[in-house]
Amino acid sequence: SERDIKAVAALRAVEKEQYRLFLDDGTGVSIYLGRETAEVTTFDYGDIRTFCSCSGEDADGREVLLIGAENGFVYRLDRGTSLDGAAIKAFLRLPFNHIGQPAQNKRFQKATFELDPGSPNLELKVSSEVSYADPLLPSGNEQRFTASGGGAAWSEAAWSEFVWSSAFQGTGQVWLDRFGKNLSLVVFSESATAAPHLLHGLTLNYTLRGLAR
């Protein structure tokens, strides 16, 4: 039978305007409080089971987030690019977008992402669903794209904080060839070396078809 999952620790990440709740099965909930409406997501630390947590500052006044685990180790959060050496898996499902015409069929042709990849040659995977994931319609094939970025203008950035011969903004595109009333994309990454990345925008290329029946 399923056991009850209990909250074991919590902390505030002030710099990121988050409240994080840790559960005894290695998972947790992160609540972003920086907008009018709270935004919630989940995380999973796998075999690292949190026992206690603490937030504070280092000697330079920078925020430090720590958890104590049942295995006896203390871990610093939001530091480095891996989960104690293991790859970090992350995904983002975008809402179904009907492009302002919910009753009209569309042929979705291409998606172009604008993002800050955080490090050179970030590899992301993308899959798609149409018409609210209608089971009569096939799922989109998983595709990959690589984005580079991190460039800067001459004399406007610290030398160690931008990438020579890179564009200011990273971009990546995938070809879709999907047909339906609306479209939802899932963006997925899995890496132990990729830096944190930020998705800024999405452009969809499509053509209108007949009314949905």
Side-chain angles (χ1 to χ4, degrees), residues 160-179:
S160 61
E161 296 177 359
F162 67 92
V163 180
W164 285 102
S165 303
S166 267
F168 278 43
Q169 187 79 12
T171 59
Q173 64 181 28
V174 293
W175 294 92
L176 300 172
D177 192 24
R178 302 303 311 278
F179 181 85

Side-chain angles (χ1 to χ4, degrees), residues 18-103:
Q18 296 174 347
Y19 173 81
R20 301 183 192 179
L21 184 66
F22 302 89
L23 307 178
D24 63 359
D25 65 346
T27 65
V29 178
S30 178
I31 305 173
Y32 175 64
L33 302 171
R35 295 189 177 91
E36 182 176 352
T37 302
E39 301 173 8
V40 182
T41 189
T42 60
F43 56 86
D44 187 347
Y45 289 161
D47 293 332
I48 300 175
R49 307 298 173 92
T50 302
F51 178 74
C52 60
S53 63
C54 177
S55 61
E57 295 182 349
D58 63 13
D60 297 320
R62 293 174 297 193
E63 186 174 39
V64 177
L65 307 176
L66 303 171
I67 59 170
E70 292 182 355
N71 59 12
F73 287 91
V74 175
Y75 296 92
R76 181 172 177 179
L77 305 182
D78 303 350
R79 183 76 173 180
T81 61
S82 68
L83 185 59
D84 195 26
I88 294 177
K89 298 179 181 179
F91 74 92
L92 171 67
R93 174 178 285 278
L94 299 175
F96 282 92
N97 188 351
H98 54 62
I99 322 291
Q101 301 185 70

Side-chain angles (χ1 to χ4, degrees), residues 148-161:
S148 297
W154 186 272
S155 298
E156 289 185 4
W159 294 96
S160 61
E161 296 177 359

Side-chain angles (χ1 to χ4, degrees), residues 103-166:
Q104 192 93 20
N105 281 321
K106 298 102 181 162
R107 174 71 69 180
F108 296 98
Q109 298 156 334
K110 185 176 70 170
T112 302
F113 296 90
E114 298 177 8
L115 68 160
D116 177 3
S119 56
N121 302 319
L122 171 69
E123 183 178 88
L124 296 174
K125 303 175 186 177
V126 179
S127 63
S128 61
E129 298 283 356
V130 292
S131 297
Y132 298 117
D134 187 334
L136 299 179
L137 298 174
S139 297
N141 294 328
E142 183 180 274
Q143 300 186 59
R144 300 169 184 259
F145 72 88
T146 301
S148 297
W154 186 272
S155 298
E156 289 185 4
W159 294 96
S160 61
E161 296 177 359
F162 67 92
V163 180
W164 285 102
S165 303
S166 267

